[in-house]
């Protein structure tokens, strides 16, 4: 009976609130001013308006493609892979957190790509904003330093792979290859280099794990997890050799 009374009370309260809401809407709806939004298209009064509209469209396109450009056409991929391998080799689980690793990879990418970004800004973006070159010319000039950067970090074997798959004709120089060939070749080259660096990072920490495991087995401590003992030694080794300075310095130098 108590449950039925509670249900009845809830239904009555809900009904009363509904009546009040309808009454409130009927009283104040006529006095409420609702803004109306209109979007119209018309002829431009001057070429400047057309240019500004094209700039906005071009900017929105760049913003939508920015994550892909950042991840796939810069040094970001290799740096992030190496930092994740480093954390896994140390065995520190979630330390440093993903946010710190991604942030460090992002700022290292900006540091490494600064000459390329400066070149694009000086030779493509500024002339386009000043109306000296067209949008197509700005894209062509802006892609040139990016292509040169990617080609320096790409293996010829990877370029040949995508040239054969796409049946691209042979060119006089790699700079004449289309971006559709250079970008995927650059990505798999970066993955390969990142995994190679990660393997080298793993070796000293793997040696520590093997020594600790062998020692514990010789002492008969079968139930003690080797990770608990090896982790402090790996951290001590990493701190003594100034690991962050060494790792970050070698990553940056690998792009020179």
């Amino acid at each position: 009976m108590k449950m039925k009374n509670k249900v009845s009370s809830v239904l009555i309260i809900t009904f009363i609130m509904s009546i009040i809401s309808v009454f409130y809407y009927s009283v104040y709806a006529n006095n409420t001013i609702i803004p109306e939004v209109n979007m119209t298209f018309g002829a431009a009064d001057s070429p400047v308006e057309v240019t500004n509209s094209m700039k906005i469209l071009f900017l929105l396109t760049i913003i939508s493609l920015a994550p892909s450009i950042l991840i796939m056409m810069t040094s970001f991929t290799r740096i992030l892979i190496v930092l994740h391998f480093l954390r896994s080799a140390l065995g520190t689980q979630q330390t440093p957190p993903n946010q710190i690793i991604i942030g460090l990879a992002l700022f290292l990418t900006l540091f490494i790509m600064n000459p390329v970004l400066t070149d694009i800004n000086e030779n493509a973006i500024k002339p386009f904003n000043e109306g000296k070159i067209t949008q197509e010319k700005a894209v062509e000039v802006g892609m040139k330093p990016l292509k040169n950067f990617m080609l320096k970090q790409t293996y010829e074997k990877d370029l040949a792979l995508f040239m054969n798959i796409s049946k691209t004709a042979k060119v006089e120089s790699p700079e004449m290859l289309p971006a559709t060939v250079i970008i995927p070749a650059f990505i798999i080259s970066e993955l390969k280099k990142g995994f190679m660096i990660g393997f080298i990072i793993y070796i000293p920490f793997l040696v520590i794990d093997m020594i600790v495991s062998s020692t514990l087995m010789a002492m008969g401590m079968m139930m003690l997890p080797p990770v608990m003992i090896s982790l402090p030694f790996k951290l001590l080794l990493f701190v003594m050799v100034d690991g962050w300075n060494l790792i970050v310095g070698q990553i940056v130098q690998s792009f020179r």
Side-chain angles (χ1 to χ4, degrees):
M1 294 294 293
K2 292 182 179 180
M3 183 61 68
K4 290 183 178 179
N5 292 334
K6 289 182 179 180
V7 173
S8 301
S9 300
V10 171
L11 291 175
I12 292 172
I13 294 173
T14 304
F15 178 75
I16 293 174
M17 292 300 296
S18 301
I19 295 297
I20 293 174
S21 300
V22 172
F23 176 77
Y24 179 85
Y25 177 79
S26 62
V27 171
Y28 292 99
N30 294 330
N31 298 327
T32 303
I33 300 175
I34 302 175
E36 181 181 359
V37 179
N38 293 323
M39 184 172 61
T40 59
F41 296 90
D45 296 332
S46 64
V48 177
E49 294 184 3
V50 179
T51 303
N52 293 334
S53 300
M54 293 300 296
K55 288 181 180 179
I56 295 173
L57 181 61
F58 181 69
L59 179 62
L60 292 176
T61 303
I62 294 297
I63 292 174
S64 63
L65 296 176
S68 299
I69 295 173
L70 173 65
I71 295 174
M72 299 303 177
M73 299 174 64
T74 65
S75 57
F76 184 82
T77 301
R78 188 193 306 182
I79 297 171
L80 191 62
I81 290 174
V82 171
L83 293 179
H84 273 285
F85 268 118
L86 174 63
R87 185 176 68 179
S88 179
L90 285 171
T92 53
Q93 302 299 327
Q94 295 298 321
T95 304
N98 290 330
Q99 293 87 343
I100 294 178
I101 289 179
I102 294 174
L104 178 59
L106 177 61
F107 280 100
L108 286 177
T109 300
L110 293 176
F111 176 79
I112 294 169
M113 300 297 297
N114 183 60
V116 178
L117 297 177
T118 302
D119 191 352
I120 294 174
N121 182 55
E122 293 294 331
N123 298 321
I125 296 178
K126 284 186 177 180
F128 175 70
N129 289 333
E130 295 172 359
K132 295 180 180 179
I133 59 176
T134 61
Q135 180 178 339
E136 292 78 9
K137 186 64 177 180
V139 173
E140 180 183 350
V141 174
M143 279 297 298
K144 187 175 180 180
L146 267 180
K147 280 186 175 182
N148 292 333
F149 171 80
M150 289 188 289
L151 287 171
K152 289 181 181 178
Q153 308 299 327
T154 305
Y155 293 115
E156 294 183 2
K157 182 179 179 181
D158 297 329
L159 282 173
L161 171 65
F162 286 97
M163 287 180 64
N164 293 332
I165 293 175
S166 62
K167 297 181 180 179
T168 303
K170 292 183 178 181
V171 294
E172 296 180 358
S173 63
E175 290 79 7
M176 299 177 64
L177 289 171
T180 53
V181 172
I182 297 176
I183 294 174
F186 169 75
I187 293 171
I188 64 174
S189 295
E190 288 295 284
L191 291 174
K192 188 182 300 182
K193 292 178 181 179
F195 273 74
M196 290 171 61
I197 298 174
F199 171 76
I200 296 173
I201 291 174
Y202 249 100
I203 293 176
F205 300 112
L206 182 61
V207 171
I208 294 177
D209 286 332
M210 293 176 64
I211 294 174
V212 171
S213 299
S214 301
T215 304
L216 292 177
M217 187 175 296
M219 296 175 64
M221 298 180 179
M222 304 293 184
M223 303 302 293
L224 183 63
V227 177
M228 294 182 60
I229 307 300
S230 63
L231 179 58
F233 288 101
K234 290 191 286 188
L235 292 177
L236 179 62
L237 173 65
F238 190 71
V239 172
M240 288 181 61
V241 300
D242 196 3
W244 287 113
N245 184 286
L246 184 62
I247 294 295
V248 171
Q250 291 301 315
I251 291 175
V252 174
Q253 290 297 327
S254 67
F255 288 96
R256 300 301 180 185

